[in-house]
Amino acid sequence: MIEYRNLRVALLGAGSVGAQVASLLIEHGEELANRAGAGLELVGVAVRDIAAPRTAEIPRELLTTDAESLILGADIVIELMGGLEPARTLILQALNSGADVITGNKALLATHGPELFEAAEQVGAQLYYEAAVAGAIPIIRPLRDSIAGDRIKRILGIVNGTTNFILDRMDTDGDSLEEALATATTLGYAEADPTADIEGFDAAQKTAILASLAFHTTVPLDAVYREGITTVTAEQVDSARKAGYVVKLLAICERLTDAEGVEGVSARVYPALVPRSHPLAAVHGAKNAVFIEAEAAGDLMFYGAGAGGIETASAVLGDLVSAARRHVIGGPGVAESTHANLPILPMSRVITRYQITLSVVDQPGVLAAIATLFSAHGVSVETLSQSVLAQSVKGRPGDTAPSATLVIGTHEASEADLAATVTALETSHVVRSVTSVLRVEGS
Ligand code: NDP
Ligand code: HSE
């Protein structure tokens, strides 16, 4: 057996992911040492409750509640506790002591990323975070390294497994959102508080990380526009299917030039209509996928498990091998690149396509009146179909004319123009209600 230099690895957290990391590191230690060119000695595992049950076996003598002491003298610290504190303070302590740090903590990176990267750079340490976005899927390293020579135009990501599972169930089995969420919770996909999933907070954190990397610009979490899936109805999912679309919660990172010629970055999360022919439409269940449109490489898609203890542990151990190799070879490592420093464009400046569903009075002249409203706000109509005749639906008191349902698809328009159009539709005497407004992405 080859004699390697030994690296001391401290693990903070032994929950779903941490316990699997500890178990795989112990079980595959020799193989990982051969790949890294260094022995990887797990010197301890910090937890809150030493007696708590674990999903994988960890030798009792490795467990400790004293995370601060464990960090001292470690070459590599793996943070898998989650949350902002004490994770932030412990990571800063580890970096300042010269250790490389590996984390899967998207909430922490999206909130305090710049502070942590700066601390790492100042002492020449590295911060690795492959597990923070889309679990097992390699996406951070491809963006940082493999595609670093290209210019990324747009990223469309399905980065939250719970919401993809829910929308997929609504589409394929006709489940209600509540039924599908209950199943996702039973299967262990959802966060303890599923608000983070269904209101898009988890996806927004991952979007901030991806957009910052892709566009060499710091994109703070509060600059990510966010809508969750709680307003998505069975009717929207059904009518999307009939029109050849599927509803997906998308993380969108885009470099765009707005109507005033300003080039900037847009980072946003919302449920959108995706054409059934798009590769993202085939991402079912709790799976994740990240679709990248690059200038030279063209379209690339990364697909796989976005969560799960052992799946995410794979990404963490990949980072561990990278960190160990750097310890062996030396060198400064890669600093975060924010040189482009592009402006972050507000949602009102985003340009995309829309599908609007209206309940209207079914009488002569209505189509002309609606077309005039769109044109008055600079929004060009691409498709129009009178999809359902609901003769029995009555309008306002005294209004006995029958109703019809109109589904209108637009050409590209700015969010501001579209919003003004919707406001005008809502007050028009020929429109009984605006029943749905969804953005169309990926076409
Ligand atoms: P868990 O909640 O399952 O585990 C957290 C672990 O951290 C527990 O072992 C807990 O100890 C320990 N811990 C928490 N606070 C402290 C503290 N103050 N001091 C010492 N130990 C503490 O989290 P996960 O494993 O699910 O997630 C870990 C990280 O990985 C998070 O940042 C998460 O966002 C990220 N991630 C998770 C994925 C997943 O599928 N689960 C996927 C991708 C990323 P004890 O067990 O004693 O309570
Ligand atoms: N709750 C998250 C999801 C876990 O559903 O994708 C992974 O971040």
Side-chain angles (χ1 to χ4, degrees):
M1 188 177 147
I2 307 168
E3 277 295 313
Y4 291 120
R5 169 189 163 194
N6 226 30
L7 295 175
R8 293 167 58 83
V9 179
L11 177 60
L12 312 182
S16 307
V17 185
Q20 299 298 329
V21 167
S23 163
L24 290 173
L25 181 52
I26 292 165
E27 198 182 329
H28 302 160
E30 197 177 323
E31 198 176 333
L32 292 175
N34 285 331
R35 291 181 198 166
L40 297 165
E41 183 193 357
L42 184 59
V43 292
V45 182
V47 292
R48 269 179 305 215
D49 176 5
I50 287 179
R54 305 281 154 209
T55 57
E57 207 174 310
I58 302 174
R60 173 73 177 72
E61 64 276 14
L62 287 181
L63 295 172
T64 174
T65 54
D66 187 358
E68 284 198 30
S69 302
L70 182 61
I71 287 172
L72 295 173
D75 298 298
I76 300 170
V77 174
I78 304 176
E79 184 277 309
L80 291 168
M81 299 188 332
L84 300 185
E85 287 293 354
R88 173 184 154 275
T89 303
L90 291 168
I91 288 180
L92 286 171
Q93 282 173 2
L95 291 170
N96 289 329
S97 74
D100 282 347
V101 172
I102 296 161
T103 180
N105 195 332
K106 61 238 167 185
L108 180 62
L109 288 170
T111 314
H112 293 295
E115 180 191 19
L116 300 177
F117 291 119
E118 196 184 321
E121 199 171 351
Q122 275 185 0
V123 295
Q126 282 284 283
L127 184 57
Y128 298 83
Y129 53 100
E130 187 60 75
V133 180
I137 304 175
I139 188 64
I140 302 301
R141 203 167 280 106
L143 283 171
R144 240 183 173 182
D145 296 335
S146 323
I147 323 171
D150 208 334
R151 291 185 98 210
I152 291 168
K153 294 188 289 186
R154 187 155 66 143
I155 298 177
L156 298 178
I158 294 173
V159 294
N160 180 269
T162 302
T163 46
N164 200 54
F165 179 87
I166 292 170
L167 293 172
D168 193 37
R169 277 291 180 107
M170 290 173 78
D171 181 47
T172 54
D173 298 344
D175 283 9
S176 68
L177 193 142
E178 293 74 21
E179 285 166 341
L181 173 59
T183 313
T185 305
T186 307
L187 293 172
Y189 301 139
E191 303 283 327
D193 174 5
T195 311
D197 298 303
I198 60 177
E199 293 294 359
F201 292 106
D202 175 75
Q205 290 163 357
K206 294 163 179 170
T207 305
I209 296 170
L210 287 176
S212 300
L213 260 181
F215 302 117
H216 306 275
T217 293
T218 300
V219 178
L221 182 56
D222 59 11
V224 179
Y225 176 83
R226 177 192 53 80
E227 287 174 25
I229 64 163
T230 46
T231 55
V232 175
T233 62
E235 291 71 32
Q236 284 177 320
V237 171
D238 190 47
S239 104
R241 188 183 324 102
K242 289 176 182 144
Y245 293 107
V246 59
V247 181
K248 295 284 186 194
L249 183 74
L250 292 184
I252 304 171
C253 313
E254 192 171 24
R255 182 178 187 134
L256 55 81
T257 305
D258 73 6
E260 282 144 43
V262 177
E263 190 185 27
V265 170
S266 161
R268 52 198 204 265
V269 172
Y270 45 67
L273 295 173
V274 175
R276 296 252 165 196
S277 54
H278 193 282
L280 286 174
V283 178
H284 296 290
K287 286 284 195 286
N288 282 196
V290 182
F291 187 85
I292 297 180
E293 298 169 25
E295 269 185 20
D299 295 345
L300 304 163
M301 187 153 108
F302 300 79
Y303 168 88
I310 194 158
E311 294 89 341
T312 307
S314 161
V316 173
L317 290 173
D319 278 348
L320 180 59
V321 171
S322 295
R325 283 186 186 143
R326 195 181 84 85
H327 271 268
V328 174
I329 297 163
V334 195
E336 280 308 285
S337 161
T338 54
H339 68 88
N341 201 17
L342 292 166
I344 317 284
L345 299 178
M347 191 59 197
S348 58
R349 313 262 278 275
V350 165
I351 295 168
T352 189
R353 293 169 55 222
Y354 302 84
Q355 193 182 82
I356 299 138
T357 308
L358 306 172
S359 173
V360 298
V361 181
D362 193 11
Q363 63 187 28
V366 167
L367 285 186
I370 288 171
T372 304
L373 275 181
F374 274 82
S375 133
H377 294 92
V379 178
S380 171
V381 172
E382 185 185 23
T383 58
L384 188 151
S385 65
Q386 187 165 318
S387 64
V388 182
L389 275 174
Q391 301 287 355
S392 59
V393 177
K394 296 285 184 283
R396 299 174 182 114
D399 172 3
T400 53
S403 289
T405 299
L406 292 184
V407 180
I408 297 167
T410 75
H411 286 289
E412 282 195 336
S414 81
E415 186 79 12
D417 288 345
L418 195 280
T421 308
V422 171
T423 303
L425 287 167
E426 281 166 345
T427 51
S428 162
H429 66 284
V430 297
V431 176
R432 288 193 166 132
S433 64
V434 179
T435 48
S436 167
V437 179
L438 283 172
R439 302 172 185 93
V440 181
E441 301 289 349
S443 54

